[in-house]
Amino acid sequence: MSVEPGARIHPSALIEEGATIADGASVGPFSVIGPEVTLGPGVQVDSHSVVTGWTEIGEGTRVFPFCSIGEIPQDLKFAGERTRLRIGARNRIREHVTMNTGTAQGGGETVVGSDGLFMAGCHIAHDCVVGDRVIVVNQSALAGHCRIEDDVIVGGLSGVHQWVRIGRGAIIGALSMVTNDVVPYGLVQGPRAELDGLNLVGLKRRGVARSDIQALRAALLTLKQGEGTFHERAVRLGEEATSDYVREMVAFITGESDRSFLVPR
């Protein structure tokens, strides 16, 4: 066990031999830190949480009470292989959140970026890759192998199907079931989620130019109404695009995926 002098450990906490706890980190009452866990500088694990497995938590992240971080995947194919969970810096992981390690079939690693907010009761499954500044609202779940790009918001009580990709800046409305890929900056909502336009609020908050927003609107219309298949329309759109935001959307659509796309209504 490696506990740096500036770390604060409550007497009732259990720190297993082999754990690494950096300067300024703290572990609250009745929490358990497993033997392969690394807590970075300033990480705060509050009371009654379990951080286990081969898990690394980056600087300044706070784990609120009653979380389960780094447990084995909820996957019947998991056979006890040594896999990892890597969490970035300055995340807020609220009460009852669960985040699992990866599987051999999925690359062996679950990755969570930095500056995210994971609200109470949400779940990040095995082999997910979650970007920076992502918000997952209460009781929502990301199934295995999902790819969530930067600045995404997943609304409360929503579910994202395994292998789905959600592009940068997209927003998922509450109570949505997302079974197909979501284009960058898309607005998705509904019990069987449909692409319902752009995340205009998010685009404006980030100061995206009006010309780029207009170009994205025109791109969605082209994807919806143009000639040929959805993929053919996307390729043609990419050849004609002058906006970097539209090019990003096209690159996402033409990239590798295990799912089809939610098509604009």
Side-chain angles (χ1 to χ4, degrees):
M1 179 169 59
S2 174
V3 179
E4 294 188 8
R8 303 181 304 279
I9 311 297
H10 192 275
S12 66
L14 175 60
I15 312 298
E16 297 192 49
E17 191 64 35
T20 300
I21 302 178
D23 182 50
S26 65
V27 181
F30 304 106
S31 285
V32 178
I33 307 299
E36 293 187 290
V37 170
T38 299
L39 303 182
V43 170
Q44 181 176 340
V45 178
D46 290 348
S47 67
H48 297 87
S49 286
V50 176
V51 184
T52 189
W54 182 14
T55 296
E56 177 183 333
I57 301 181
E59 180 175 2
T61 288
R62 182 175 178 184
V63 179
F64 284 74
F66 300 102
C67 290
S68 177
I69 307 297
E71 273 292 358
I72 63 172
Q74 299 178 80
D75 186 339
L76 293 175
K77 299 188 297 297
F78 182 72
E81 59 267 27
R82 186 172 183 262
T83 57
R84 185 181 185 190
L85 168 64
R86 182 160 48 90
I87 299 172
R90 299 175 302 280
N91 290 290
R92 286 168 287 172
I93 302 173
R94 295 304 305 249
E95 298 81 357
H96 299 280
V97 167
T98 56
M99 297 182 177
N100 295 155
T101 57
T103 65
Q105 296 86 353
E109 185 175 55
T110 303
V111 179
V112 175
S114 297
D115 300 299
L117 171 58
F118 301 89
M119 295 190 190
C122 72
H123 174 63
I124 311 299
H126 59 88
D127 305 299
C128 284
V129 177
V130 179
D132 296 335
R133 299 174 300 280
V134 168
I135 299 174
V136 182
V137 182
N138 305 72
Q139 307 299 328
S140 294
L142 307 181
H145 311 280
C146 289
R147 298 292 184 269
I148 312 298
E149 294 189 352
D150 296 345
D151 302 303
V152 166
I153 299 175
V154 180
L157 296 165
S158 295
V160 181
H161 195 282
Q162 62 188 12
W163 298 105
V164 160
R165 299 181 301 148
I166 299 181
R168 182 161 75 106
I171 185 168
I172 311 300
L175 297 166
S176 297
M177 180 62 214
V178 184
T179 57
N180 290 310
D181 290 352
V182 178
V183 295
Y185 314 108
L187 164 64
V188 166
Q189 56 188 347
R192 283 290 171 179
E194 296 180 340
L195 183 60
D196 203 23
L198 293 173
N199 179 13
L200 292 173
V201 173
L203 288 166
K204 291 173 181 177
R205 283 176 177 171
R206 282 191 288 276
V208 175
R210 182 185 297 271
S211 60
D212 285 310
I213 293 175
Q214 290 172 340
L216 284 168
R217 280 176 160 160
L220 284 187
L221 189 62
T222 299
L223 290 170
K224 177 182 179 181
Q225 298 181 346
E227 296 181 356
T229 66
F230 181 78
H231 188 271
E232 289 169 347
R233 295 195 293 270
V235 170
R236 189 162 57 249
L237 181 63
E239 293 170 347
E240 300 169 354
T242 58
S243 167
D244 288 340
Y245 287 86
V246 175
R247 293 192 189 101
E248 179 183 353
M249 182 180 288
V250 170
F252 184 90
I253 293 170
T254 56
E256 292 187 8
S257 178
D258 294 279
R259 312 293 301 181
S260 58
F261 279 86
L262 295 176
V263 179
R265 290 197 289 182

